[in-house]
Amino acid sequence: MKLYDSPLSPFARKCKIIIQAKGLDVEIVNAAKAGADGYAAGSNPLGKVPCLERKYPDVALFDSPLICEYLDSLKDPWLPKDGEGRWKAYRMHRIGDGLAEAVYNRRYEVVRDESLHWPDIIERHDTAIRNVVTYLDDIIEYVPSKWSFGSIAVVCALDYADFRADHISWRSLAPNLANWHEGFTNKSEYKATYAY
Ligand SMILES: N[C@@H](CCC(=O)N[C@@H](CS)C(=O)NCC(=O)O)C(=O)O
């Protein structure tokens, strides 16, 4: 299997953490270097990374939540098979991805020429970033403190927020969350996939 990757992508990083943690045999391919079509190199008609190419059945998987669920299913699944725990895990994963999306979309607002910036939209993304981190801070006892289907998304999103939205200083808004995040930073999967 090949995972089409962009080293800075928080979405691809979730997949790489699962691959590392479970010792899966997946080749990581930098999509931008893999072909003239860059991001589209991984058989994803949406033109985004990550994308997982599998030999059998011959169908590529995307977006990242689906790839994560598939990779997780291959060995000692973190995602509960059923029951409320399954919905909680999906929900936590979604909160993390939503945070990463807010940071990513903000980035695409501010890299344009300044005359094209849309301040209301930038503020909307900033508000979402602040709201998510304070929300997680308030419910920290329910946020899994080891690798799980939910926590991978939150950890990856927070590092991406440091990288692309440091003006938010999320740690000062969410000290419990900062402490929680710190608990992951010594893990080998964290270090092996950290690219900022
Ligand atoms: N919802 C998608 C988001 C993926 C995404 O936005 N990937 C970015 C990199 S972080 C990308 O491929 N951007 C290139 C583009 O949009 O052209 C997922 O979870 O996989």
Side-chain angles (χ1 to χ4, degrees), residues 9-11 39 47-50 63-65 104:
S9 166
F11 307 104
Y39 283 113
K48 295 209 171 219
V49 289
D63 289 356
S64 62
Y104 182 82

Side-chain angles (χ1 to χ4, degrees), residues 7-18 64 68 78 92-93 95-101 103-104 136 147-164 170 177 180-181 184-185 189-190 193-196:
L8 301 177
S9 166
F11 307 104
R13 188 178 176 206
K14 295 180 298 177
C15 309
K16 290 184 285 186
I17 289 174
I18 297 177
S64 62
C68 287
W78 293 335
M92 193 57 64
H93 194 106
I95 292 170
D97 273 4
L99 174 59
E101 283 162 12
V103 174
Y104 182 82
L136 289 170
W147 290 132
S148 71
F149 193 76
S151 66
I152 47 170
V154 177
V155 170
C156 294
L158 290 172
D159 283 329
Y160 190 57
D162 273 335
F163 178 57
R164 293 286 194 216
W170 66 265
L177 186 63
W180 174 89
H181 171 269
F184 288 88
T185 55
E189 301 83 5
Y190 178 97
T193 57
Y194 185 87
Y196 310 118

Side-chain angles (χ1 to χ4, degrees), residues 102-123 125-126 129 160 163-167:
V103 174
Y104 182 82
N105 292 335
R106 182 191 195 282
R107 159 93 181 147
Y108 277 87
E109 275 300 315
V110 300
V111 289
R112 308 186 211 191
D113 188 274
E114 203 166 342
S115 63
L116 298 172
H117 287 189
W118 188 353
D120 289 357
I121 290 292
I122 294 171
E123 182 47 37
H125 295 317
D126 280 348
I129 297 167
Y160 190 57
F163 178 57
R164 293 286 194 216
D166 65 335
H167 65 290

Side-chain angles (χ1 to χ4, degrees), residues 31-44:
K33 291 187 182 160
D37 55 351
Y39 283 113
S43 314
N44 180 353

